[in-house]
mmCIF file with all atom_site columns, all heavy atoms in Angstrom:
data_model
loop_
_atom_site.group_PDB
_atom_site.id
_atom_site.type_symbol
_atom_site.label_atom_id
_atom_site.label_alt_id
_atom_site.label_comp_id
_atom_site.label_asym_id
_atom_site.label_entity_id
_atom_site.label_seq_id
_atom_site.pdbx_PDB_ins_code
_atom_site.Cartn_x
_atom_site.Cartn_y
_atom_site.Cartn_z
_atom_site.occupancy
_atom_site.B_iso_or_equiv
_atom_site.pdbx_formal_charge
_atom_site.auth_seq_id
_atom_site.auth_comp_id
_atom_site.auth_asym_id
_atom_site.auth_atom_id
_atom_site.pdbx_PDB_model_num
ATOM 1   N N   . ASN A 1 162 ? -1.076 3.538  9.047  1.00 98.00 ? 403 ASN A N   1
ATOM 2   C CA  . ASN A 1 162 ? -0.316 3.196  10.252 1.00 98.00 ? 403 ASN A CA  1
ATOM 3   C C   . ASN A 1 162 ? 0.378  4.430  10.846 1.00 98.00 ? 403 ASN A C   1
ATOM 4   O O   . ASN A 1 162 ? 0.491  4.573  12.062 1.00 98.00 ? 403 ASN A O   1
ATOM 5   C CB  . ASN A 1 162 ? 0.711  2.105  9.944  1.00 98.00 ? 403 ASN A CB  1
ATOM 6   C CG  . ASN A 1 162 ? 0.061  0.738  9.736  1.00 98.00 ? 403 ASN A CG  1
ATOM 7   O OD1 . ASN A 1 162 ? -1.131 0.563  9.989  1.00 98.00 ? 403 ASN A OD1 1
ATOM 8   N ND2 . ASN A 1 162 ? 0.831  -0.229 9.258  1.00 98.00 ? 403 ASN A ND2 1
ATOM 9   N N   . ARG A 1 163 ? 0.847  5.326  9.955  1.00 98.00 ? 404 ARG A N   1
ATOM 10  C CA  . ARG A 1 163 ? 1.444  6.578  10.444 1.00 98.00 ? 404 ARG A CA  1
ATOM 11  C C   . ARG A 1 163 ? 0.423  7.401  11.229 1.00 98.00 ? 404 ARG A C   1
ATOM 12  O O   . ARG A 1 163 ? 0.753  7.996  12.261 1.00 98.00 ? 404 ARG A O   1
ATOM 13  C CB  . ARG A 1 163 ? 1.971  7.400  9.258  1.00 98.00 ? 404 ARG A CB  1
ATOM 14  C CG  . ARG A 1 163 ? 3.263  6.866  8.670  1.00 98.00 ? 404 ARG A CG  1
ATOM 15  C CD  . ARG A 1 163 ? 3.576  7.533  7.327  1.00 98.00 ? 404 ARG A CD  1
ATOM 16  N NE  . ARG A 1 163 ? 4.917  7.187  6.866  1.00 98.00 ? 404 ARG A NE  1
ATOM 17  C CZ  . ARG A 1 163 ? 5.344  7.370  5.620  1.00 98.00 ? 404 ARG A CZ  1
ATOM 18  N NH1 . ARG A 1 163 ? 4.542  7.898  4.709  1.00 98.00 ? 404 ARG A NH1 1
ATOM 19  N NH2 . ARG A 1 163 ? 6.574  7.032  5.280  1.00 98.00 ? 404 ARG A NH2 1
ATOM 20  N N   . ALA A 1 164 ? -0.811 7.428  10.722 1.00 98.00 ? 405 ALA A N   1
ATOM 21  C CA  . ALA A 1 164 ? -1.880 8.181  11.406 1.00 98.00 ? 405 ALA A CA  1
ATOM 22  C C   . ALA A 1 164 ? -2.170 7.562  12.774 1.00 98.00 ? 405 ALA A C   1
ATOM 23  O O   . ALA A 1 164 ? -2.299 8.280  13.778 1.00 98.00 ? 405 ALA A O   1
ATOM 24  C CB  . ALA A 1 164 ? -3.141 8.210  10.548 1.00 98.00 ? 405 ALA A CB  1
ATOM 25  N N   . LEU A 1 165 ? -2.250 6.224  12.827 1.00 98.00 ? 406 LEU A N   1
ATOM 26  C CA  . LEU A 1 165 ? -2.453 5.543  14.119 1.00 98.00 ? 406 LEU A CA  1
ATOM 27  C C   . LEU A 1 165 ? -1.319 5.888  15.082 1.00 98.00 ? 406 LEU A C   1
ATOM 28  O O   . LEU A 1 165 ? -1.549 6.160  16.265 1.00 98.00 ? 406 LEU A O   1
ATOM 29  C CB  . LEU A 1 165 ? -2.493 4.020  13.923 1.00 98.00 ? 406 LEU A CB  1
ATOM 30  C CG  . LEU A 1 165 ? -3.671 3.417  13.144 1.00 98.00 ? 406 LEU A CG  1
ATOM 31  C CD1 . LEU A 1 165 ? -3.457 1.925  12.948 1.00 98.00 ? 406 LEU A CD1 1
ATOM 32  C CD2 . LEU A 1 165 ? -4.996 3.669  13.855 1.00 98.00 ? 406 LEU A CD2 1
ATOM 33  N N   . GLY A 1 166 ? -0.092 5.890  14.562 1.00 98.00 ? 407 GLY A N   1
ATOM 34  C CA  . GLY A 1 166 ? 1.082  6.181  15.388 1.00 98.00 ? 407 GLY A CA  1
ATOM 35  C C   . GLY A 1 166 ? 1.051  7.590  15.957 1.00 98.00 ? 407 GLY A C   1
ATOM 36  O O   . GLY A 1 166 ? 1.381  7.809  17.131 1.00 98.00 ? 407 GLY A O   1
ATOM 37  N N   . GLN A 1 167 ? 0.649  8.552  15.143 1.00 98.00 ? 408 GLN A N   1
ATOM 38  C CA  . GLN A 1 167 ? 0.593  9.947  15.605 1.00 98.00 ? 408 GLN A CA  1
ATOM 39  C C   . GLN A 1 167 ? -0.444 10.132 16.718 1.00 98.00 ? 408 GLN A C   1
ATOM 40  O O   . GLN A 1 167 ? -0.204 10.836 17.693 1.00 98.00 ? 408 GLN A O   1
ATOM 41  C CB  . GLN A 1 167 ? 0.277  10.897 14.436 1.00 98.00 ? 408 GLN A CB  1
ATOM 42  C CG  . GLN A 1 167 ? 1.434  11.075 13.468 1.00 98.00 ? 408 GLN A CG  1
ATOM 43  C CD  . GLN A 1 167 ? 2.691  11.572 14.158 1.00 98.00 ? 408 GLN A CD  1
ATOM 44  O OE1 . GLN A 1 167 ? 2.687  12.600 14.831 1.00 98.00 ? 408 GLN A OE1 1
ATOM 45  N NE2 . GLN A 1 167 ? 3.782  10.831 14.002 1.00 98.00 ? 408 GLN A NE2 1
ATOM 46  N N   . ILE A 1 168 ? -1.609 9.485  16.556 1.00 98.00 ? 409 ILE A N   1
ATOM 47  C CA  . ILE A 1 168 ? -2.662 9.584  17.586 1.00 98.00 ? 409 ILE A CA  1
ATOM 48  C C   . ILE A 1 168 ? -2.194 8.910  18.878 1.00 98.00 ? 409 ILE A C   1
ATOM 49  O O   . ILE A 1 168 ? -2.367 9.452  19.980 1.00 98.00 ? 409 ILE A O   1
ATOM 50  C CB  . ILE A 1 168 ? -3.993 8.953  17.095 1.00 98.00 ? 409 ILE A CB  1
ATOM 51  C CG1 . ILE A 1 168 ? -4.548 9.708  15.872 1.00 98.00 ? 409 ILE A CG1 1
ATOM 52  C CG2 . ILE A 1 168 ? -5.025 8.899  18.213 1.00 98.00 ? 409 ILE A CG2 1
ATOM 53  C CD1 . ILE A 1 168 ? -4.967 11.143 16.104 1.00 98.00 ? 409 ILE A CD1 1
ATOM 54  N N   . SER A 1 169 ? -1.570 7.733  18.738 1.00 98.00 ? 410 SER A N   1
ATOM 55  C CA  . SER A 1 169 ? -1.138 7.021  19.957 1.00 98.00 ? 410 SER A CA  1
ATOM 56  C C   . SER A 1 169 ? -0.043 7.800  20.693 1.00 98.00 ? 410 SER A C   1
ATOM 57  O O   . SER A 1 169 ? -0.026 7.866  21.917 1.00 98.00 ? 410 SER A O   1
ATOM 58  C CB  . SER A 1 169 ? -0.682 5.590  19.632 1.00 98.00 ? 410 SER A CB  1
ATOM 59  O OG  . SER A 1 169 ? 0.626  5.571  19.148 1.00 98.00 ? 410 SER A OG  1
ATOM 60  N N   . GLU A 1 170 ? 0.846  8.445  19.939 1.00 98.00 ? 411 GLU A N   1
ATOM 61  C CA  . GLU A 1 170 ? 1.900  9.271  20.567 1.00 98.00 ? 411 GLU A CA  1
ATOM 62  C C   . GLU A 1 170 ? 1.294  10.480 21.270 1.00 98.00 ? 411 GLU A C   1
ATOM 63  O O   . GLU A 1 170 ? 1.674  10.827 22.382 1.00 98.00 ? 411 GLU A O   1
ATOM 64  C CB  . GLU A 1 170 ? 2.898  9.747  19.496 1.00 98.00 ? 411 GLU A CB  1
ATOM 65  C CG  . GLU A 1 170 ? 3.768  8.658  18.918 1.00 98.00 ? 411 GLU A CG  1
ATOM 66  C CD  . GLU A 1 170 ? 4.888  8.257  19.845 1.00 98.00 ? 411 GLU A CD  1
ATOM 67  O OE1 . GLU A 1 170 ? 5.752  9.105  20.146 1.00 98.00 ? 411 GLU A OE1 1
ATOM 68  O OE2 . GLU A 1 170 ? 4.897  7.099  20.298 1.00 98.00 ? 411 GLU A OE2 1
ATOM 69  N N   . ARG A 1 171 ? 0.335  11.116 20.606 1.00 97.00 ? 412 ARG A N   1
ATOM 70  C CA  . ARG A 1 171 ? -0.300 12.313 21.172 1.00 97.00 ? 412 ARG A CA  1
ATOM 71  C C   . ARG A 1 171 ? -1.019 12.000 22.483 1.00 97.00 ? 412 ARG A C   1
ATOM 72  O O   . ARG A 1 171 ? -0.977 12.765 23.448 1.00 97.00 ? 412 ARG A O   1
ATOM 73  C CB  . ARG A 1 171 ? -1.308 12.860 20.145 1.00 97.00 ? 412 ARG A CB  1
ATOM 74  C CG  . ARG A 1 171 ? -2.123 14.055 20.600 1.00 97.00 ? 412 ARG A CG  1
ATOM 75  C CD  . ARG A 1 171 ? -1.354 15.346 20.495 1.00 97.00 ? 412 ARG A CD  1
ATOM 76  N NE  . ARG A 1 171 ? -2.163 16.512 20.831 1.00 97.00 ? 412 ARG A NE  1
ATOM 77  C CZ  . ARG A 1 171 ? -1.806 17.749 20.598 1.00 97.00 ? 412 ARG A CZ  1
ATOM 78  N NH1 . ARG A 1 171 ? -0.655 18.010 20.003 1.00 97.00 ? 412 ARG A NH1 1
ATOM 79  N NH2 . ARG A 1 171 ? -2.583 18.749 20.948 1.00 97.00 ? 412 ARG A NH2 1
ATOM 80  N N   . LEU A 1 172 ? -1.686 10.844 22.510 1.00 97.00 ? 413 LEU A N   1
ATOM 81  C CA  . LEU A 1 172 ? -2.496 10.501 23.687 1.00 97.00 ? 413 LEU A CA  1
ATOM 82  C C   . LEU A 1 172 ? -1.746 9.633  24.697 1.00 97.00 ? 413 LEU A C   1
ATOM 83  O O   . LEU A 1 172 ? -2.287 9.304  25.757 1.00 97.00 ? 413 LEU A O   1
ATOM 84  C CB  . LEU A 1 172 ? -3.770 9.759  23.231 1.00 97.00 ? 413 LEU A CB  1
ATOM 85  C CG  . LEU A 1 172 ? -4.757 10.582 22.398 1.00 97.00 ? 413 LEU A CG  1
ATOM 86  C CD1 . LEU A 1 172 ? -5.903 9.696  21.909 1.00 97.00 ? 413 LEU A CD1 1
ATOM 87  C CD2 . LEU A 1 172 ? -5.312 11.751 23.211 1.00 97.00 ? 413 LEU A CD2 1
ATOM 88  N N   . VAL A 1 176 ? -0.643 1.846  20.476 1.00 98.00 ? 417 VAL A N   1
ATOM 89  C CA  . VAL A 1 176 ? -1.172 2.013  19.110 1.00 98.00 ? 417 VAL A CA  1
ATOM 90  C C   . VAL A 1 176 ? -2.306 1.022  18.811 1.00 98.00 ? 417 VAL A C   1
ATOM 91  O O   . VAL A 1 176 ? -3.215 1.319  18.037 1.00 98.00 ? 417 VAL A O   1
ATOM 92  C CB  . VAL A 1 176 ? -0.022 1.940  18.069 1.00 98.00 ? 417 VAL A CB  1
ATOM 93  C CG1 . VAL A 1 176 ? 0.507  0.506  17.909 1.00 98.00 ? 417 VAL A CG1 1
ATOM 94  C CG2 . VAL A 1 176 ? -0.446 2.522  16.733 1.00 98.00 ? 417 VAL A CG2 1
ATOM 95  N N   . TRP A 1 219 ? -5.358 21.027 16.176 1.00 98.00 ? 460 TRP A N   1
ATOM 96  C CA  . TRP A 1 219 ? -4.251 20.102 15.901 1.00 98.00 ? 460 TRP A CA  1
ATOM 97  C C   . TRP A 1 219 ? -4.697 19.015 14.920 1.00 98.00 ? 460 TRP A C   1
ATOM 98  O O   . TRP A 1 219 ? -3.989 18.714 13.954 1.00 98.00 ? 460 TRP A O   1
ATOM 99  C CB  . TRP A 1 219 ? -3.749 19.483 17.212 1.00 98.00 ? 460 TRP A CB  1
ATOM 100 C CG  . TRP A 1 219 ? -2.601 18.533 16.991 1.00 98.00 ? 460 TRP A CG  1
ATOM 101 C CD1 . TRP A 1 219 ? -1.293 18.872 16.757 1.00 98.00 ? 460 TRP A CD1 1
ATOM 102 C CD2 . TRP A 1 219 ? -2.664 17.099 16.954 1.00 98.00 ? 460 TRP A CD2 1
ATOM 103 N NE1 . TRP A 1 219 ? -0.539 17.735 16.578 1.00 98.00 ? 460 TRP A NE1 1
ATOM 104 C CE2 . TRP A 1 219 ? -1.342 16.628 16.699 1.00 98.00 ? 460 TRP A CE2 1
ATOM 105 C CE3 . TRP A 1 219 ? -3.686 16.156 17.118 1.00 98.00 ? 460 TRP A CE3 1
ATOM 106 C CZ2 . TRP A 1 219 ? -1.030 15.261 16.592 1.00 98.00 ? 460 TRP A CZ2 1
ATOM 107 C CZ3 . TRP A 1 219 ? -3.378 14.806 17.019 1.00 98.00 ? 460 TRP A CZ3 1
ATOM 108 C CH2 . TRP A 1 219 ? -2.070 14.356 16.765 1.00 98.00 ? 460 TRP A CH2 1
ATOM 109 N N   . GLU A 1 223 ? -1.933 20.302 12.030 1.00 98.00 ? 464 GLU A N   1
ATOM 110 C CA  . GLU A 1 223 ? -0.611 19.683 12.220 1.00 98.00 ? 464 GLU A CA  1
ATOM 111 C C   . GLU A 1 223 ? -0.644 18.163 12.077 1.00 98.00 ? 464 GLU A C   1
ATOM 112 O O   . GLU A 1 223 ? 0.259  17.565 11.469 1.00 98.00 ? 464 GLU A O   1
ATOM 113 C CB  . GLU A 1 223 ? -0.063 20.077 13.602 1.00 98.00 ? 464 GLU A CB  1
ATOM 114 C CG  . GLU A 1 223 ? 1.411  19.752 13.749 1.00 98.00 ? 464 GLU A CG  1
ATOM 115 C CD  . GLU A 1 223 ? 1.906  19.996 15.174 1.00 98.00 ? 464 GLU A CD  1
ATOM 116 O OE1 . GLU A 1 223 ? 1.399  20.919 15.842 1.00 98.00 ? 464 GLU A OE1 1
ATOM 117 O OE2 . GLU A 1 223 ? 2.797  19.255 15.594 1.00 98.00 ? 464 GLU A OE2 1
ATOM 118 N N   . PHE A 1 224 ? -1.662 17.530 12.628 1.00 98.00 ? 465 PHE A N   1
ATOM 119 C CA  . PHE A 1 224 ? -1.785 16.071 12.505 1.00 98.00 ? 465 PHE A CA  1
ATOM 120 C C   . PHE A 1 224 ? -1.800 15.667 11.029 1.00 98.00 ? 465 PHE A C   1
ATOM 121 O O   . PHE A 1 224 ? -1.084 14.749 10.605 1.00 98.00 ? 465 PHE A O   1
ATOM 122 C CB  . PHE A 1 224 ? -3.061 15.580 13.217 1.00 98.00 ? 465 PHE A CB  1
ATOM 123 C CG  . PHE A 1 224 ? -3.483 14.196 12.792 1.00 98.00 ? 465 PHE A CG  1
ATOM 124 C CD1 . PHE A 1 224 ? -2.782 13.080 13.225 1.00 98.00 ? 465 PHE A CD1 1
ATOM 125 C CD2 . PHE A 1 224 ? -4.563 14.013 11.936 1.00 98.00 ? 465 PHE A CD2 1
ATOM 126 C CE1 . PHE A 1 224 ? -3.146 11.796 12.805 1.00 98.00 ? 465 PHE A CE1 1
ATOM 127 C CE2 . PHE A 1 224 ? -4.936 12.746 11.522 1.00 98.00 ? 465 PHE A CE2 1
ATOM 128 C CZ  . PHE A 1 224 ? -4.231 11.631 11.953 1.00 98.00 ? 465 PHE A CZ  1
ATOM 129 N N   . THR A 1 227 ? 1.588  16.333 9.269  1.00 98.00 ? 468 THR A N   1
ATOM 130 C CA  . THR A 1 227 ? 2.622  15.399 9.758  1.00 98.00 ? 468 THR A CA  1
ATOM 131 C C   . THR A 1 227 ? 2.513  14.060 9.042  1.00 98.00 ? 468 THR A C   1
ATOM 132 O O   . THR A 1 227 ? 3.515  13.505 8.586  1.00 98.00 ? 468 THR A O   1
ATOM 133 C CB  . THR A 1 227 ? 2.515  15.201 11.292 1.00 98.00 ? 468 THR A CB  1
ATOM 134 O OG1 . THR A 1 227 ? 2.692  16.458 11.925 1.00 98.00 ? 468 THR A OG1 1
ATOM 135 C CG2 . THR A 1 227 ? 3.561  14.218 11.808 1.00 98.00 ? 468 THR A CG2 1
ATOM 136 N N   . VAL A 1 228 ? 1.289  13.541 8.929  1.00 98.00 ? 469 VAL A N   1
ATOM 137 C CA  . VAL A 1 228 ? 1.089  12.259 8.237  1.00 98.00 ? 469 VAL A CA  1
ATOM 138 C C   . VAL A 1 228 ? 1.409  12.411 6.744  1.00 98.00 ? 469 VAL A C   1
ATOM 139 O O   . VAL A 1 228 ? 2.118  11.579 6.163  1.00 98.00 ? 469 VAL A O   1
ATOM 140 C CB  . VAL A 1 228 ? -0.347 11.731 8.457  1.00 98.00 ? 469 VAL A CB  1
ATOM 141 C CG1 . VAL A 1 228 ? -0.573 10.450 7.651  1.00 98.00 ? 469 VAL A CG1 1
ATOM 142 C CG2 . VAL A 1 228 ? -0.612 11.471 9.942  1.00 98.00 ? 469 VAL A CG2 1
ATOM 143 N N   . ARG A 1 231 ? 5.285  12.722 6.341  1.00 95.00 ? 472 ARG A N   1
ATOM 144 C CA  . ARG A 1 231 ? 6.137  11.856 7.160  1.00 95.00 ? 472 ARG A CA  1
ATOM 145 C C   . ARG A 1 231 ? 7.259  11.212 6.339  1.00 95.00 ? 472 ARG A C   1
ATOM 146 O O   . ARG A 1 231 ? 8.379  11.053 6.819  1.00 95.00 ? 472 ARG A O   1
ATOM 147 C CB  . ARG A 1 231 ? 5.275  10.771 7.818  1.00 95.00 ? 472 ARG A CB  1
ATOM 148 C CG  . ARG A 1 231 ? 6.006  9.896  8.802  1.00 95.00 ? 472 ARG A CG  1
ATOM 149 C CD  . ARG A 1 231 ? 6.397  10.647 10.053 1.00 95.00 ? 472 ARG A CD  1
ATOM 150 N NE  . ARG A 1 231 ? 6.703  9.740  11.140 1.00 95.00 ? 472 ARG A NE  1
ATOM 151 C CZ  . ARG A 1 231 ? 7.010  10.110 12.361 1.00 95.00 ? 472 ARG A CZ  1
ATOM 152 N NH1 . ARG A 1 231 ? 7.057  11.395 12.664 1.00 95.00 ? 472 ARG A NH1 1
ATOM 153 N NH2 . ARG A 1 231 ? 7.265  9.222  13.296 1.00 95.00 ? 472 ARG A NH2 1
#
Side-chain angles (χ1 to χ4, degrees):
N403 287 351
R404 285 168 171 164
L406 293 175
Q408 288 303 305
I409 297 295
S410 81
E411 290 283 297
R412 176 80 176 192
L413 294 175
V417 73
W460 181 78
E464 193 187 327
F465 162 74
T468 300
V469 176
R472 186 69 162 183

